[in-house]
Amino acid sequence: MWLGPEEVLLAGALWVTERANPFFLLQRRRGHGKGGGLTGLLVGTLDVVLDSSARVAPYRILHQTQDSQVYWAVACGSSRKEITKHWEWLENNLLQTLSIFDNEEDITTFVKGKIHGIIAEENKNEQPQSEEDPGKFKEAELKMRKQFGMPEVEKLVNYYSCSYWKGRVPRQGWLYLTVNHLCFYSFLLGKEVTLVIQWVDVTQLEKNATLLFPECIKVSTRDNELYFSMFLNINETFKLMEQLANIAMRQLLDNESFLQDKSLPKPRKPLKNISALKRDLDARAKNECYRATFRLPKDECLDGHTDCTLWTPFNKMHIPGQMFVSNNYICFASKAEEACHLIIPLREVTIVEKADSSSVLPSPLSISTKSKMTFFFANLKDRDFLVQRISDFLQRTPSKRPCCSDREWKWNLADPGCEEVPELPSSSPLAVSPTSALSNRPVNFCAGEVPTASQGLLKLFRRNSEELLGPKGAKEKMKEESWNIHFFEYGRGMCMYRTAKTRELVQKGIPENLRGELWLLFSGAWNEMVTHPGYYADLVEKSMGKYNLATEEIERDLHRSMPEHPAFQNELGIAALRRVLTAYAFRNPTIGYCQAMNIVTSVLLLYCNEEEAFWLLVALCERMLPDYYNTRVVGALVDQGIFEELTREYLPQLSEKMQELGVISTISLSWFLTLFLSVMPFESAVVIVDCFFYEGIKFILQVSLAILDANMEKLLQCCDEGEAMTILGRYLDNVVNRQSISPPIPHLHALLTGGDDPPLEIDIFELIKTSYEKFSNLKADDIEQMRFKQRLKVIQSLEDTAKKSVVRAVSGDIGFSIEELEELYVVFKAKYLMSCYWGNNRAAAARRDQSLPYLEQYRIDVEQFKELFISLTPWSCGAHTPVLAGRLFRLLDENRDSLINFKEFVTGMSGMYHGDLTEKLKVLYKLHLPPALNPEETESALEATSYFTEDVTTEVSPFVSELDFCLHCESQGQSMDYRSLFKSETINHLTMVACSCLAEEKGTSPQDYRYYLRMWAKEKDSKKETIKDLPKMSQEQFIELCKTLYNMFSEDPVEQELYHAIATVASLLLRIGEVGKKFSNRPLRKSEDCKANNTQDPVSEEESPTSEQSQNSAVEQQPQADHEDKTCGDAQPEKTQQENQTLGDGSGEGQGSPLQLLSDDETKDDMSMSSYSMVSTGSLQCEDIADDTVLVGCEGSSSAARYGSTIDTDWSISFEQILASMLTETALVNYFEKKVNILQKIKDQKKVERQFSSSSDYELSSVSG
């Protein structure tokens, strides 16, 4: 490419001049190309270590003048062809012009101006899509693509200099991190190391330091472990690797492919060597951390953050921390953990103003809200810019909100007795309870009743308990008063100051009247609810009356959700629960409904109205417990792994015992999925939920550790899993809440308590206090780090389980071993994944349905199948191989959706690798018959398509016998058993046809009954296909078969011997086909004469075929003629058995070559018979075959004179005849019976895919991860 002229001082250093003229030099880098010797090795090593651009462009053109010692680089090239093109342009367009100039400075100025003009012209035509990427980074991306053969769609994120430890020897080189791959390249003194690893194959990433590997990164895959060290910034590298591996795991889990965010704001200062993609990933990481810290909606994006101080009126201090600004929120987090967190929604902001600066409070900023609260920030850097950004976001925020403000909501909830119930129109879906499972009539609420949508069920079903007037009631009032004082000092609603005092109050239990309000605040669900008014009502309306798998499961579990609570013992609570769960299933079809969601949602409905419970469920499933409630409960398994890791760290003695008993995997799922609601009394478990909404998963983990710690002595003495489960179950059953004012609810697990001694009760608040005292040093950031590590392990474990399940499902019917099937599955899955991240339209990702069985989840299209077929097939046919691959794909694609799954894939592969000569020839034979053979692939498309009916193309399996046209053969009268049945019952054939037609109309005929019995028996008993079930092959199909065989043998060591053998076989088969024509046409002529003398048949052509015989009338003429010929008594004498057999073999028009209504062009006297001669000679490319074909053609010419123009369509050959002919040639038998190791093919494929071309043009099909 052309370069902006750059000054070069030493033109000869490390470069060799290949061409020269008075004004330009063409040079090649030393060591590039052939030769080079020791100097070339040294230069190559320097280029790699120093990251020289000469690695990418080993050719260059310099501009020079005679008296000047300065050279100017004007062009570079990655190949000789590219640089030669530039050189020729310079010679043709500039040399003559430059010779006119007298002054050398003018020559240089002119050349530089000309080159700049060319570059400007080229840039004008190109889209500036990657303008943001700095030049050095573009150069590195070009090196990556050239070195590893990656296509342009594979984007480089960043690259780092490091050492790869191969054994005990470090190899210095460059680590390239792309969206889908980790690549490493090193070249030291002729020793080259190239590594390419897909992120989806990474099972573990660790950053550790040992004596052997100081501060290194360990990358583990299923096959090996790789160590990289000597990074300049190992933390940055490791974080980026974690992020990319996480994206890959998300792709495996949710089928989410990576899409770059093009809307990132441009940096205020140019960033050196940082790509736009790296900035995008950094922004994603910051956004995730920001949203997790402040529990914000998933679409909230951080705009920026800055250091500042916040004035806190409750303790009269300026607290240092950071301000975060995003599209809809201003947040503050103190540097001292739990000192203060603040969330200010911009929808609540009324005034933002800059106060006067002073030495005490430099650059102050005040923000006022609708709730009459004012927040003072100071020590802001670049305050004016910050104010401008906030103003921009405020302008985008709608001034009139469709719902109430936080302040209005606060007062509505302050006194439940004064709460106004919104009147719902009769058309509203929330005003009417959906039809219950027990009644078909909708339940309308009376005018005096409060709709379920307005408040929590606990307020509707609270009994006038004496507890409200006793000590417990007094305690509850004290709690409420404590929270009211807290609200007065710290604020109420979203803008409340959240401090350690807030956490202390939560630990002591939230009052029942405030529980719903505070759950919404602490979880962040309130933000999503107020910004999506009417969303839940719309969802309910859309989902009502619709049924799917999720609604069926919901309906089944409705009456299992807290059946002991009075709120769910009637239609009111059940209907509310149904609406919330169904609405969420329609919102998020990926999750739909998962068991345990009903238990959690029923508790939410006790304290919140329907809409609030819905948004709490959204926060729970999508943010606080990610991936918990999908089909494979991945999130719960991930946190289970964290729990095991924490047990090893904090309770090492117990950890070994628990692993031995296998208890942790059993208990943790039920604890985590239901937040202890299913294993602990309701009054106690709801306190756990209080703390969970404030602290997140950290609290669930520390309580779980406290429970194990409390039972350590008993658990260490357990002998089996059942005993340990009983101990833990009894302990949890006796965790009580003595402060609860609600009447006790019977706990289902109370049956576990037994023995004479009364159980020891454990106060829930003491348990919570103990958990904070012993395990409070758990950090949310550490848990997220551990989540990543466990997510890699869990998802890869699930993928391994899926592989084993698929292999086990297909192994019974396939000839491959388990090891071979596993390797094939890996290759098949890799090909699918490649289409996901390298496909142009990403259609592959859309076609993966995770609700399907594992066997159906990964499917490939015809282009991907061709790539696999070419690299794995034992039948290499050169340029003809893709054609054969396309035919096999059509044969395997049973449902005609242009996609095949793994079982279909290995079925096709097994047909070529396993079985004897007969089985392999059967596969090859079928590849040259419809549906595998396209009509366009033969010269007579009309004839090729008319051999088989449409029913035949819908066969269930290409390798199952009963579906390969055997019923069609019977319908043509070729089954000896069927004919004998006709003779024994002395029924005329035409009468039988008429009866069968009537039977189809009435459905009462015995034949109709027998037909269905026969079909049922064939479905139940999948007998092995016999060679007699295969249809005959026409002339054009036989030509295609010969073409395939000749291409197949072209690369074999005994090529000439195979050519001679196939020439002999083809010649013999051509003669057999010609002989068959003679027998098939004589009876045709007699039958036509007989048909002319007979009266018209009572059965019309439209009625005569049965459902499996439906063809056009021209195809049916020959079978009818055969049967009419039989009924003509004197016209046709009875043949001997041998003659009958010959006729049966030769008169296969019904299967292989039916008569056609030929056009005038197709029925020319001379050309109709010579066409085969020309085709076969050109296609077989064999002198012997050509001679034989001419003889056959000549013989056919005389036949044409006797039998007319139908002779071409009568030629056919059966599989038995081909097999018998093949068996006479030892070379052919040896070729098809030789064993080929598919594992070696797979290894060779991986090697070939790592040996990339040095060309700059790369094909997607030639590269693999």
Side-chain angles (χ1 to χ4, degrees):
M1 63 179 180
W2 298 107
L3 301 174
E6 298 175 357
E7 190 172 331
V8 178
L9 297 177
L10 298 174
L14 307 180
W15 293 84
V16 179
T17 301
E18 293 195 338
R19 293 191 190 182
N21 60 42
F23 301 104
F24 297 100
L25 297 174
L26 191 156
Q27 295 186 327
R28 172 179 57 83
R29 187 72 165 177
R30 289 185 185 275
H32 182 79
K34 297 181 181 179
L38 181 60
T39 306
L41 293 178
L42 290 171
V43 173
T45 302
L46 283 173
D47 287 343
V48 170
V49 174
L50 300 178
D51 196 27
S52 168
S53 60
R55 286 176 54 207
V56 180
Y59 298 93
R60 70 180 182 183
I61 297 175
L62 302 179
H63 165 63
Q64 64 163 358
T65 52
Q66 291 181 353
D67 297 335
S68 175
Q69 297 299 318
V70 178
Y71 295 81
W72 297 89
V74 296
C76 67
S78 59
S79 64
R80 189 180 297 276
K81 180 180 178 181
E82 180 185 358
I83 204 68
T84 302
K85 182 180 176 182
H86 291 332
W87 178 264
E88 290 175 352
W89 188 91
L90 291 171
E91 286 188 329
N92 297 333
N93 295 279
L94 287 189
L95 278 185
Q96 191 173 358
T97 306
L98 293 178
S99 61
I100 300 173
F101 287 92
D102 295 330
N103 190 341
E104 292 185 355
E105 291 183 4
D106 294 342
I107 294 175
T108 301
T109 303
F110 178 80
V111 169
K112 290 165 69 175
K114 194 70 176 176
I115 298 300
H116 281 301
I118 295 172
I119 294 172
E121 190 65 28
E122 287 180 349
N123 291 341
K124 190 188 300 182
N125 299 327
E126 292 182 1
Q127 294 182 351
Q129 51 188 3
S130 58
E131 244 180 47
E132 295 181 9
D133 294 343
K136 187 71 175 174
F137 185 86
K138 291 180 184 177
E139 187 179 295
E141 189 168 41
L142 188 60
K143 291 176 193 173
M144 180 273 297
R145 292 206 184 107
K146 178 182 174 64
Q147 192 63 52
F148 304 103
M150 300 291 178
E152 288 199 11
V153 292
E154 181 70 357
K155 299 295 184 183
L156 178 66
V157 181
N158 213 347
Y159 62 104
Y160 302 94
S161 173
C162 69
S163 290
Y164 161 63
W165 291 81
K166 190 170 183 181
R168 295 187 178 182
V169 180
R171 299 294 181 90
Q172 184 67 28
W174 290 87
L175 183 71
Y176 297 89
L177 304 181
T178 72
V179 173
N180 301 296
H181 296 85
L182 178 152
C183 308
F184 177 82
Y185 179 75
S186 171
F187 181 87
L188 291 176
L189 300 177
K191 298 289 185 180
E192 190 176 47
V193 176
T194 303
L195 296 174
V196 179
I197 301 168
Q198 288 189 34
W199 288 118
V200 291
D201 291 333
V202 173
T203 57
Q204 192 175 11
L205 275 177
E206 283 185 306
K207 183 179 67 173
N208 50 30
T210 63
L211 292 175
L212 184 60
F213 305 116
E215 204 176 24
C216 69
I217 295 175
K218 175 185 172 185
V219 181
S220 302
T221 65
R222 290 178 178 85
D223 301 325
N224 49 26
E225 296 177 347
L226 310 173
Y227 292 89
F228 301 93
S229 64
M230 300 185 188
F231 291 93
L232 292 176
N233 190 340
I234 192 169
N235 292 326
E236 178 194 334
T237 309
F238 185 71
K239 284 183 180 178
L240 181 58
M241 292 170 78
E242 277 189 331
Q243 197 173 4
L244 292 170
N246 220 358
I247 291 171
M249 293 305 105
R250 181 59 56 187
Q251 185 182 15
L252 287 176
L253 179 61
D254 291 339
N255 215 34
E256 290 182 3
S257 51
F258 178 79
L259 292 175
Q260 183 179 354
D261 185 5
K262 303 286 186 181
S263 61
L264 279 178
K266 291 188 176 182
R268 298 172 67 187
K269 298 178 181 178
L271 301 173
K272 187 177 181 182
N273 291 345
I274 297 181
S275 65
L277 193 55
K278 176 67 166 58
R279 289 178 50 231
D280 179 18
L281 288 172
D282 289 344
R284 289 180 189 223
K286 290 178 181 177
N287 288 337
E288 288 174 7
C289 182
Y290 171 60
R291 290 191 293 260
T293 303
F294 299 103
R295 306 273 173 82
L296 299 178
K298 292 182 73 174
D299 56 353
E300 194 66 21
C301 295
L302 179 65
D303 186 69
H305 58 89
T306 182
D307 291 335
C308 67
T309 58
L310 171 67
W311 170 255
T312 51
F314 52 86
N315 59 1
K316 308 291 190 295
M317 290 178 62
H318 291 280
I319 298 179
Q322 281 191 319
M323 175 193 284
F324 301 84
V325 180
S326 60
N327 297 2
N328 301 294
Y329 299 90
I330 300 171
C331 301
F332 175 85
S334 59
K335 291 185 178 179
E337 190 178 3
E338 293 187 353
C340 183
H341 270 210
L342 179 65
I343 302 170
I344 308 173
L346 290 182
R347 63 179 181 269
E348 293 294 316
V349 173
T350 55
I351 300 173
V352 178
E353 57 183 354
K354 293 181 284 186
D356 296 332
S357 294
S358 66
S359 57
V360 180
L361 284 177
S363 304
L365 179 71
S366 71
I367 298 175
S368 302
T369 66
K370 296 175 183 176
S371 57
K372 309 299 182 185
M373 293 182 71
T374 302
F375 303 95
F376 289 96
F377 297 92
N379 294 287
L380 286 163
K381 299 176 182 176
D382 207 349
R383 181 181 60 169
D384 294 339
F385 175 76
L386 178 64
V387 171
Q388 184 60 46
R389 295 298 291 173
I390 295 174
S391 300
D392 293 342
F393 290 136
L394 280 172
Q395 288 175 3
R396 298 177 203 166
T397 306
S399 57
K400 185 179 180 181
R401 302 303 304 177
C403 56
C404 63
S405 70
D406 289 347
R407 183 168 177 263
E408 293 167 346
W409 169 74
K410 173 186 72 174
W411 291 112
N412 280 342
L413 290 179
D415 185 1
C418 301
E419 183 174 353
E420 296 180 4
V421 178
E423 293 185 3
L424 296 173
S426 59
S427 60
S428 171
L430 301 181
V432 180
S433 171
T435 304
S436 70
L438 305 175
S439 172
N440 291 326
R441 293 180 301 171
V443 179
N444 292 316
F445 294 108
C446 301
E449 272 190 315
V450 182
T452 308
S454 68
Q455 57 186 357
L457 294 175
L458 204 61
K459 296 175 184 176
L460 298 176
F461 290 93
R462 176 182 290 162
R463 289 173 256 174
N464 293 324
S465 175
E466 295 180 359
E467 302 288 352
L468 293 174
L469 304 175
K472 290 185 178 179
K475 182 76 173 177
E476 186 77 1
K477 289 291 183 185
M478 288 175 62
K479 283 186 184 178
E480 288 185 19
E481 189 60 30
S482 298
W483 276 98
N484 288 331
I485 294 171
H486 184 78
F487 291 150
F488 180 77
E489 293 183 0
Y490 294 85
R492 189 168 188 174
M494 285 306 301
C495 300
M496 177 173 62
Y497 293 97
R498 305 179 193 205
T499 66
K501 177 70 175 175
T502 313
R503 192 188 71 178
E504 289 175 12
L505 284 176
V506 172
Q507 291 174 27
K508 293 175 182 177
I510 299 175
E512 289 194 352
N513 288 334
L514 298 175
R515 189 161 269 149
E517 171 188 349
L518 294 175
W519 282 1
L520 286 165
L521 283 180
F522 297 148
S523 66
W526 175 252
N527 286 322
E528 293 185 280
M529 187 172 73
V530 297
T531 52
H532 295 83
Y535 177 85
Y536 172 70
D538 292 341
L539 265 184
V540 172
E541 189 172 2
K542 291 175 185 176
S543 62
M544 280 179 65
K546 295 184 180 178
Y547 298 96
N548 52 32
L549 180 61
T551 56
E552 289 178 12
E553 292 177 347
I554 290 169
E555 207 63 40
R556 188 174 62 241
D557 286 349
L558 283 177
H559 296 277
R560 304 175 188 170
S561 309
M562 294 191 68
E564 65 276 9
H565 198 286
F568 298 99
Q569 293 171 356
N570 65 83
E571 180 58 26
L572 192 68
I574 294 294
L577 182 59
R578 179 189 293 114
R579 284 194 291 268
V580 173
L581 290 174
T582 306
Y584 186 78
F586 274 79
R587 167 188 165 86
N588 192 342
T590 305
I591 292 178
Y593 171 76
C594 175
Q595 284 189 341
M597 286 172 67
N598 60 321
I599 297 173
V600 175
T601 308
S602 60
V603 174
L604 299 179
L605 281 168
L606 291 176
Y607 298 100
C608 308
N609 65 42
E610 276 187 38
E611 186 176 13
E612 293 167 350
F614 170 79
W615 286 111
L616 276 171
L617 185 63
V618 169
L620 203 67
C621 295
E622 298 176 11
R623 289 188 286 107
M624 300 190 72
L625 297 176
D627 304 322
Y628 258 60
Y629 300 104
N630 57 24
T631 52
R632 298 191 278 182
V633 292
V634 172
L637 293 173
V638 168
D639 287 346
Q640 174 186 301
I642 295 175
F643 184 40
E644 292 180 6
E645 194 172 335
L646 292 174
T647 306
R648 282 194 296 272
E649 181 180 346
Y650 290 99
L651 307 170
Q653 290 182 334
L654 186 60
S655 173
E656 294 180 10
K657 185 69 175 180
M658 297 294 277
Q659 290 292 334
E660 179 187 332
L661 298 176
V663 174
I664 288 184
S665 58
T666 307
I667 60 174
S668 54
L669 282 181
S670 60
W671 293 3
F672 296 163
L673 278 171
T674 64
L675 304 176
F676 288 94
L677 289 166
S678 64
V679 294
M680 196 181 281
F682 169 75
E683 300 83 8
S684 305
V686 78
V687 182
I688 300 281
V689 178
D690 291 342
C691 298
F692 165 74
F693 277 124
Y694 188 80
E695 295 274 15
I697 192 63
K698 164 182 174 291
F699 177 76
I700 300 294
L701 290 169
Q702 72 183 35
V703 166
S704 301
L705 289 171
I707 293 170
L708 291 186
D709 184 54
N711 293 276
M712 182 183 293
E713 292 182 5
K714 294 180 181 179
L715 290 172
L716 287 173
Q717 297 173 5
C718 289
C719 300
D720 55 31
E721 180 186 1
E723 187 179 353
M725 291 294 295
T726 303
I727 290 171
L728 291 172
R730 285 176 179 170
Y731 179 86
L732 291 171
D733 279 335
N734 293 291
V735 176
V736 297
N737 180 2
R738 299 188 179 94
Q739 300 177 13
S740 174
I741 60 171
S742 298
I745 299 173
H747 187 47
L748 295 178
H749 288 265
L751 296 174
L752 287 171
T753 303
D756 299 330
D757 298 331
L760 180 64
E761 290 186 344
I762 303 97
D763 187 75
I764 181 64
F765 299 104
E766 287 297 322
L767 177 62
I768 292 173
K769 182 180 177 183
T770 303
S771 73
Y772 274 102
E773 288 174 351
K774 292 189 175 182
F775 308 106
S776 61
N777 54 351
L778 285 178
K779 305 296 181 191
D781 292 342
D782 296 338
I783 290 174
E784 284 304 314
Q785 183 71 27
M786 295 164 74
R787 267 183 169 173
F788 162 75
K789 179 181 175 182
Q790 293 297 329
R791 191 178 294 117
L792 277 182
K793 189 183 297 184
V794 167
I795 294 179
Q796 295 294 11
S797 175
L798 289 172
E799 289 296 312
D800 290 340
T801 303
K803 178 174 71 174
K804 290 176 182 176
S805 300
V806 171
V807 168
R808 188 166 54 248
V810 303
S811 59
D813 306 326
I814 306 299
F816 291 116
S817 67
I818 297 294
E819 181 187 2
E820 290 170 338
L821 285 172
E822 288 182 350
E823 288 295 327
L824 283 170
Y825 181 82
V826 170
V827 172
F828 184 86
K829 176 181 159 187
K831 186 61 66 176
Y832 164 81
L833 291 174
M834 190 185 301
S835 70
C836 288
Y837 47 71
W838 282 353
N840 292 329
N841 55 7
R842 300 187 183 273
R847 66 179 180 241
R848 183 186 176 198
D849 185 358
Q850 290 197 324
S851 64
L852 294 173
Y854 289 136
L855 187 59
E856 297 284 342
Q857 285 191 13
Y858 295 117
R859 294 181 293 170
I860 60 174
D861 59 24
V862 64
E863 293 304 320
Q864 296 166 303
F865 177 78
K866 284 181 180 179
E867 295 168 18
L868 287 177
F869 182 90
I870 290 169
S871 59
L872 298 178
T873 179
W875 298 342
S876 180
C877 302
H880 191 64
T881 307
V883 177
L884 200 65
R887 292 175 187 169
L888 182 58
F889 183 88
R890 287 190 291 274
L891 189 65
L892 297 171
D893 184 15
E894 300 167 3
N895 57 1
R896 302 292 180 264
D897 62 351
S898 300
L899 297 170
I900 64 171
N901 61 31
F902 179 67
K903 183 173 184 179
E904 293 165 336
F905 169 71
V906 293
T907 300
M909 289 288 112
S910 181
M912 295 183 290
Y913 274 93
H914 297 287
D916 54 12
L917 170 69
T918 305
E919 295 299 320
K920 292 179 180 177
L921 279 179
K922 275 165 63 176
V923 176
L924 193 61
Y925 185 84
K926 288 180 182 180
L927 292 181
H928 297 82
L929 297 173
L933 188 73
N934 260 348
E936 295 80 7
E937 291 180 330
T938 61
E939 292 186 356
S940 300
L942 182 60
E943 294 177 6
T945 54
S946 64
Y947 288 115
F948 305 97
T949 65
E950 291 183 1
D951 288 334
V952 170
T953 62
T954 59
E955 56 183 290
V956 176
S957 171
F959 297 101
V960 177
S961 60
E962 59 268 22
L963 298 169
D964 270 338
F965 322 109
C966 55
L967 289 175
H968 184 67
C969 298
E970 290 183 2
S971 71
Q972 302 304 326
Q974 293 197 6
S975 170
M976 297 303 292
D977 293 339
Y978 222 44
R979 291 179 183 179
S980 63
L981 177 65
F982 294 162
K983 289 179 182 179
S984 65
E985 297 182 357
T986 63
I987 299 175
N988 185 282
H989 170 69
L990 298 177
T991 309
M992 288 291 294
V993 174
C995 289
S996 65
C997 291
L998 292 172
E1000 285 188 10
E1001 295 177 2
K1002 299 179 181 179
T1004 58
S1005 170
Q1007 275 71 27
D1008 185 64
Y1009 180 68
R1010 285 199 299 272
Y1011 163 74
Y1012 284 110
L1013 276 178
R1014 185 169 70 251
M1015 293 304 296
W1016 175 78
K1018 287 179 176 179
E1019 288 177 4
K1020 295 292 287 182
D1021 181 25
S1022 57
K1023 64 178 182 178
K1024 194 171 183 181
E1025 183 180 49
T1026 65
I1027 58 178
K1028 291 186 179 295
D1029 295 325
L1030 295 171
K1032 291 194 173 184
M1033 183 174 278
S1034 70
Q1035 196 176 72
E1036 289 81 1
Q1037 293 160 356
F1038 180 70
I1039 292 169
E1040 289 297 325
L1041 176 61
C1042 291
K1043 282 183 183 178
T1044 301
L1045 288 169
Y1046 268 82
N1047 285 302
M1048 194 183 297
F1049 301 150
S1050 62
E1051 300 175 6
D1052 199 270
V1054 289
E1055 180 180 358
Q1056 293 304 319
E1057 187 178 344
L1058 288 169
Y1059 278 158
H1060 179 75
I1062 195 58
T1064 306
V1065 170
S1067 176
L1068 176 61
L1069 290 171
L1070 288 170
R1071 288 193 176 92
I1072 291 173
E1074 290 298 328
V1075 172
K1077 286 196 299 186
K1078 296 179 182 179
F1079 287 96
S1080 63
N1081 279 279
R1082 286 197 185 97
L1084 173 60
R1085 190 173 180 182
K1086 291 181 181 180
S1087 65
E1088 286 174 349
D1089 294 339
C1090 180
K1091 185 176 181 180
N1093 295 330
N1094 282 346
T1095 57
Q1096 186 175 4
D1097 189 88
V1099 181
S1100 65
E1101 288 184 352
E1102 287 80 2
E1103 295 174 340
S1104 60
T1106 60
S1107 61
E1108 64 230 74
Q1109 298 169 354
S1110 55
Q1111 300 180 3
N1112 57 44
S1113 58
V1115 177
E1116 291 171 355
Q1117 289 175 3
Q1118 174 61 25
Q1120 289 187 5
D1122 284 343
H1123 290 296
E1124 288 171 353
D1125 189 40
K1126 290 183 184 181
T1127 63
C1128 285
D1130 299 333
Q1132 178 73 26
E1134 186 173 349
K1135 293 177 172 58
T1136 64
Q1137 184 177 359
Q1138 181 179 0
E1139 189 174 355
N1140 264 330
Q1141 183 64 38
T1142 307
L1143 177 60
D1145 292 339
S1147 60
E1149 295 84 14
Q1151 300 172 353
S1153 53
L1155 297 180
Q1156 301 292 324
L1157 299 176
L1158 301 176
S1159 63
D1160 294 338
D1161 295 336
E1162 292 170 326
T1163 57
K1164 294 181 180 178
D1165 294 338
D1166 296 331
M1167 296 303 293
S1168 62
M1169 290 320 313
S1170 61
S1171 63
Y1172 177 67
S1173 239
M1174 294 185 291
V1175 170
S1176 60
T1177 303
S1179 61
L1180 300 186
Q1181 301 176 356
C1182 177
E1183 202 167 338
D1184 298 334
I1185 281 286
D1187 294 339
D1188 290 332
T1189 306
V1190 171
L1191 291 173
V1192 172
C1194 295
E1195 185 179 338
S1197 297
S1198 61
S1199 303
R1202 294 176 59 190
Y1203 300 112
S1205 61
T1206 62
I1207 189 71
D1208 281 340
T1209 60
D1210 294 338
W1211 192 99
S1212 65
I1213 203 79
S1214 68
F1215 176 74
E1216 297 100 311
Q1217 292 164 335
I1218 292 177
L1219 177 61
S1221 304
M1222 289 273 198
L1223 288 172
T1224 61
E1225 295 294 331
T1226 307
L1228 294 177
V1229 174
N1230 292 339
Y1231 179 85
F1232 283 102
E1233 288 194 341
K1234 69 181 177 183
K1235 300 293 183 182
V1236 181
N1237 186 1
I1238 194 168
L1239 292 177
Q1240 188 60 44
K1241 283 267 185 186
I1242 294 172
K1243 290 178 182 177
D1244 293 343
Q1245 179 219 19
K1246 292 178 180 177
K1247 288 179 183 177
V1248 168
E1249 289 178 339
R1250 293 291 175 264
Q1251 294 170 358
F1252 302 110
S1253 168
S1254 60
S1255 170
S1256 58
D1257 298 322
Y1258 295 102
E1259 295 285 340
L1260 175 59
S1261 60
S1262 65
V1263 182
S1264 169

